Amino acid sequence: MAGTEVAGTEVAGAILSPDPLSEDVALAAVESATAGAVVSFRGVVRNHDGGKAVERLCYTAHPTAQKAIAEVAAAVLAEHSGEAGQPVGIWVAHRVGTLRIGDLALVCAVSAAHRRQAFTICSELVDRVKASVPIWKEQFFSDGTVEWVGAEGAGAAALSDAEAAIKIG
């Protein structure tokens, strides 16, 4: 039954934003009288990474990132929308720009008929956004060093495609 269209199933939002994210907005976007479960995920900027103190982050998105986050949300929805024959709602947003410790970097919310389904979809959504959306994280450490994260994965492939298009065009 996976992939079957169910009335009320939707991607309520797939957003890249330079503005602060709100879990309340995410939850309100997916809540429904048909949902027996609404779960959310908040990716929060922490003060350390790899044993080093982090001062701040800066997220940079490739020009294709908005399209990519929308495609990821739509694909996850399509793969799970027929489960339990009930509507599924998805909302996902990723920050871009400079973030401080404690800021929300990624917020996802999922509504579904049952808790296991909602948790599974939300977890998969987070994993796929992180793996597939070309967003790079620049970490600024207290010792003055800087590290780029994410340029080796999907983001690098997107950058290579863009560079190839520029060379061809």
Side-chain angles (χ1 to χ4, degrees), residues 40 42 89 104 116:
S40 63
R42 299 174 347 136
L104 298 178
R116 182 161 304 170

Side-chain angles (χ1 to χ4, degrees), residues 3-169:
T4 304
E5 257 189 62
V6 176
T9 296
E10 69 173 333
V11 173
I15 302 160
L16 294 181
S17 177
D19 300 318
L21 303 179
S22 166
E23 185 179 20
D24 291 339
V25 169
L27 293 170
V30 299
E31 287 178 339
S32 153
T34 62
V38 178
V39 301
S40 63
F41 171 83
R42 299 174 347 136
V44 181
V45 177
R46 63 182 180 272
N47 67 358
H48 63 93
D49 188 45
K52 295 171 72 174
V54 173
E55 287 190 350
R56 69 185 185 283
L57 304 178
C58 185
Y59 285 101
T60 303
H62 186 272
T64 62
Q66 178 58 59
K67 181 180 178 194
I69 198 168
E71 288 174 349
V72 165
V76 171
L77 181 71
E79 292 164 15
H80 293 281
S81 63
E83 292 176 14
Q86 300 293 322
V88 172
I90 289 178
W91 190 96
V92 58
H94 201 299
R95 278 285 302 274
V96 293
T98 301
L99 284 75
R100 303 285 176 200
I101 305 306
D103 286 348
L104 298 178
L106 175 64
V107 174
C108 301
V110 173
S111 63
H114 305 284
R115 72 179 181 280
R116 182 161 304 170
Q117 180 186 21
F119 278 118
T120 298
I121 295 169
C122 193
S123 179
E124 185 174 328
L125 181 62
V126 170
D127 290 346
R128 287 175 62 178
V129 165
K130 291 185 68 67
S132 302
V133 179
I135 297 174
W136 303 284
K137 175 171 64 175
E138 186 178 12
Q139 296 188 114
F140 295 86
F141 296 102
S142 297
D143 66 6
T145 60
V146 176
E147 175 184 65
W148 282 91
V149 178
E152 66 284 345
L159 184 57
S160 296
D161 290 346
E163 289 171 341
I166 290 169
K167 290 177 185 174
I168 293 169

